[in-house]
Amino acid sequence: MKSPLLALRDIRKAYPAVVALDGVNLTVAPGEIHAVLGENGAGKSTLMKIIYGAVRPDAGSVEWNGLPARIQNPSEARALGIAMVFQHFALFESITVAENIALALPGAFDLKALAARITEVSQRYGLPLNPQRPVHELSVGERQRVEIVRCLLQSPKLLIMDEPTSVLTPQAVEQLFETLRTLSAEGTAIIYVSHKLDEIRRLCHRATIFRNGRWVGEVDPRTETEASLASLMIGREFPRMQRRSHTPTEVALEIAALSLPGDPPFGTALKDVSLRLHFGEIFGIAGVSGNGQAELLEAITGERLVPAAAAVRLEGQPVGRLGAARRRELGLVNVPEERLGRGTVPVMTLTENALLTAHRQGMLRHGLVMFESAAAFAAQCIAGFDVRCSGGGAKAQSLSGGNLQKFIVGREMRQMPKVMVLAQPTWGVDIAATALIRQQIIDLAARGVAVLVISEDLGEILETCDRVAVIAGGRISPSKKVSDTSAEEIGRWMAGMFPQKNDERVAA
């Protein structure tokens, strides 16, 4: 291996309640695509923040190009040649691509010259962008291109990618891989953080594995299997999901010719959306973010009332004019995409958060809260879904994303629903927690519950669901059995290329 561009040795970082990193090591060579693997809470994010200067280590050393380095902040990291593309984009929707990029670059604004550089760099790396387009008009894949091009304009020597494919179509993933391979061939080092082991095996030259804040080992992922990588990450044999056959029964949830204006200023209008979900079925809705998923979810759950009550039906009953609380009483529960703020109240304990949506499960008597019952319910969620926390008294904001997601899913499933709607059920969740949540979804459907999964993770849809449809541009595609379609076909549909009435096409 070439001499390291970056070397971290014996890095330690502790917080009041947890040791995030305990004597970990990482070396990255020029031109290398290096994967960093680990469960939620393994220390990956903390280590990336240390490299990028957002967090300072308590102990250990950092070397850059063979010389000791103290990276005090992101500005110093960028000056060294370190750039980072975050999982959640930091873009202003109301201004143009060029204006967004200008805000991140040093020096005075020269938008005309910058626009020319954006066009040149984006074309060179196969990431075409129109610098004059407002960001709100861009797809999620195009927004990621903005983030990457913004980094490339700084001529980075090291590029950190955090879950870069979580919102991309299969075709966009392949284009991203080509770009990263080009950068690698030119000598740019890349740190690739992802839970998708198939991508790690296809793309990366080496992988460093962390577990519980400690360095576990380093492997060549190209010579490993997904199962062996997963076992190294979780320290035990990786559990396999158990599928079951599905026989359609009565309709549990029906959406009929639903049209709604988009939330201003950048929402997506729903146009003549229709679907049927049966009891015991898992129905997946795939699609690139921003194509109407949020509006559809609000209409189904009752967060947003629709003009025609019959446009949304539960067991044949029109509910389009009923609010979320009334729909919950009728047996519809949901897991929202946003865990902190919509799924839970961050500063409240897990017991208090259990009470918020599950109070009908014996937690109220004559209008008074039965805190013992609420605590017992929360404890059952924690134990049944392997939530790593200090107990029901832990605040929601103290949990890692994966553990909080397990708690929210457990809270909703334990309410014995008739219909369950999940948005991005395993977003940013590690491989072990992902397997647990997906198996619980499958088991829930096997007990006769109707399950609707809205996900941008195509692998999740194909692995978990019985039927799939795609939402693009506020319209919904025909549904297909998962066994009768492929990732390539669904990828095309995610770009809007699916048959509509009179065989029209939809631009996503």
Side-chain angles (χ1 to χ4, degrees):
M1 191 184 72
K2 301 175 184 177
S3 298
L5 172 69
L6 173 72
L8 296 98
R9 308 188 195 283
D10 299 321
I11 297 294
R12 177 180 172 83
K13 180 64 183 179
Y15 296 98
V18 66
V19 177
L21 296 170
D22 189 6
V24 304
N25 302 297
L26 177 70
T27 61
V28 183
E32 178 185 21
I33 306 178
H34 194 119
V36 174
L37 298 176
E39 295 183 86
N40 291 118
K44 304 185 303 296
S45 295
T46 302
L47 190 66
M48 296 307 106
K49 290 175 183 176
I50 287 173
I51 297 170
Y52 195 57
V55 169
R56 298 182 187 179
D58 298 330
S61 64
V62 178
E63 293 181 5
W64 181 257
N65 265 330
L67 298 174
R70 294 189 64 192
I71 306 173
Q72 303 290 330
N73 52 58
S75 178
E76 290 187 9
R78 289 192 292 268
L80 287 174
I82 300 172
M84 185 167 180
V85 178
F86 293 91
Q87 181 177 357
H88 300 289
F89 307 148
L91 299 172
F92 294 98
E93 297 203 352
S94 59
I95 60 178
T96 67
V97 169
E99 290 166 339
N100 265 283
I101 292 177
L103 292 174
L105 298 178
F109 288 8
D110 184 345
L111 290 178
K112 184 176 181 180
L114 178 59
R117 288 180 63 205
I118 291 170
T119 300
E120 188 272 326
V121 170
S122 64
Q123 290 177 349
R124 175 182 173 188
Y125 290 102
L127 301 167
L129 282 175
N130 179 349
Q132 308 305 332
R133 284 187 70 187
V135 166
H136 70 81
E137 294 182 358
L138 305 182
S139 69
V140 173
E142 289 171 321
R143 295 182 192 205
Q144 187 186 65
R145 291 180 199 170
V146 177
E147 294 277 13
I148 295 173
V149 169
R150 179 159 64 183
C151 290
L152 296 182
L153 286 170
Q154 302 170 47
S155 302
K157 298 176 182 177
L158 172 65
L159 179 63
I160 303 172
M161 306 287 291
D162 185 9
E163 298 287 351
T165 64
S166 57
V167 294
L168 300 183
T169 66
Q171 291 85 348
V173 170
E174 293 304 319
Q175 179 59 66
L176 174 65
F177 282 8
E178 287 304 310
T179 300
L180 296 181
R181 290 183 180 116
T182 299
L183 286 167
S184 171
E186 293 178 352
T188 302
I190 299 165
I191 296 179
Y192 193 88
V193 182
S194 177
H195 294 304
K196 298 184 178 181
L197 300 183
D198 60 322
E199 294 180 359
I200 299 295
R201 294 179 63 241
R202 288 170 51 205
L203 180 68
C204 299
H205 305 132
R206 281 194 301 153
T208 295
I209 299 163
F210 298 119
R211 192 189 312 144
N212 298 324
R214 295 176 180 269
W215 182 90
V216 173
E218 183 181 287
V219 298
D220 181 345
R222 297 165 295 187
T223 64
E224 299 285 335
T225 65
E226 290 184 36
S228 66
L229 288 173
S231 296
L232 286 169
M233 287 170 56
I234 66 177
R236 60 186 184 277
E237 186 176 349
F238 182 65
R240 293 295 177 186
M241 288 200 310
Q242 302 296 318
R243 294 301 306 266
R244 87 284 180 265
S245 59
H246 166 255
T247 302
T249 57
E250 295 83 5
V251 174
L253 171 69
E254 182 174 9
I255 311 297
L258 174 64
S259 296
L260 279 177
D263 291 328
F266 306 122
T268 300
L270 298 180
K271 304 162 188 173
D272 197 25
V273 172
S274 298
L275 64 88
R276 286 183 175 180
L277 169 67
H278 301 85
F279 285 109
E281 178 183 38
I282 307 174
F283 190 112
I285 297 181
V288 176
S289 176
N291 275 276
Q293 293 96 325
E295 289 80 5
L296 179 59
L297 185 67
E298 290 172 355
I300 291 174
T301 61
E303 289 186 52
R304 183 176 180 184
L305 304 185
V306 302
V312 183
R313 292 177 176 269
L314 280 174
E315 293 189 278
Q317 178 179 343
V319 298
R321 301 299 300 167
L322 300 181
R326 182 70 183 109
R327 295 190 202 187
R328 277 187 171 274
E329 291 175 359
L330 295 173
L332 186 149
V333 303
N334 81 95
V335 175
E337 177 179 348
E338 185 183 349
R339 298 163 192 159
L340 287 171
R342 296 175 78 93
T344 58
V345 178
V347 298
M348 292 176 65
T349 67
L350 297 184
T351 295
E352 292 165 339
N353 274 292
L355 181 67
L356 291 180
T357 69
H359 55 268
R360 297 178 187 85
Q361 306 300 311
M363 300 181 203
L364 296 179
R365 184 179 299 170
H366 306 304
L368 299 177
V369 174
M370 310 299 291
F371 278 103
E372 287 187 3
S373 297
F377 183 93
Q380 290 167 353
C381 295
I382 291 168
F385 284 78
D386 188 30
V387 180
R388 311 287 175 84
C389 65
S390 59
K395 291 184 177 181
Q397 64 189 9
S398 70
L399 273 65
S400 70
N403 281 301
L404 186 58
Q405 184 73 350
K406 287 190 287 185
F407 176 80
I408 295 170
V409 171
R411 178 188 66 186
E412 301 305 313
M413 285 188 176
R414 291 192 65 82
Q415 296 180 51
M416 298 171 289
K418 294 180 180 179
V419 177
M420 185 167 190
V421 182
L422 303 102
Q424 317 301 341
T426 60
W427 173 279
V429 175
D430 66 56
I431 189 168
T434 292
L436 185 148
I437 290 172
R438 291 179 183 174
Q439 186 63 58
Q440 293 284 356
I441 290 172
I442 290 170
D443 293 345
L444 190 71
R447 296 197 293 270
V449 177
V451 182
L452 183 68
V453 176
I454 301 175
S455 179
E456 294 160 27
D457 186 336
L458 184 52
E460 178 164 73
I461 295 285
L462 297 177
E463 194 173 317
T464 309
C465 299
D466 303 301
R467 280 193 299 142
V468 58
V470 171
I471 190 166
R475 297 182 184 271
I476 200 159
S477 74
S479 66
K480 274 195 168 186
K481 289 183 178 180
V482 166
S483 58
D484 293 339
T485 187
S486 65
E488 291 71 25
E489 180 179 39
I490 298 301
R492 290 193 298 272
W493 285 14
M494 288 166 70
M497 300 301 295
F498 55 77
Q500 287 283 322
K501 295 174 184 176
N502 301 320
D503 199 32
E504 61 182 304
R505 294 290 192 269
V506 180

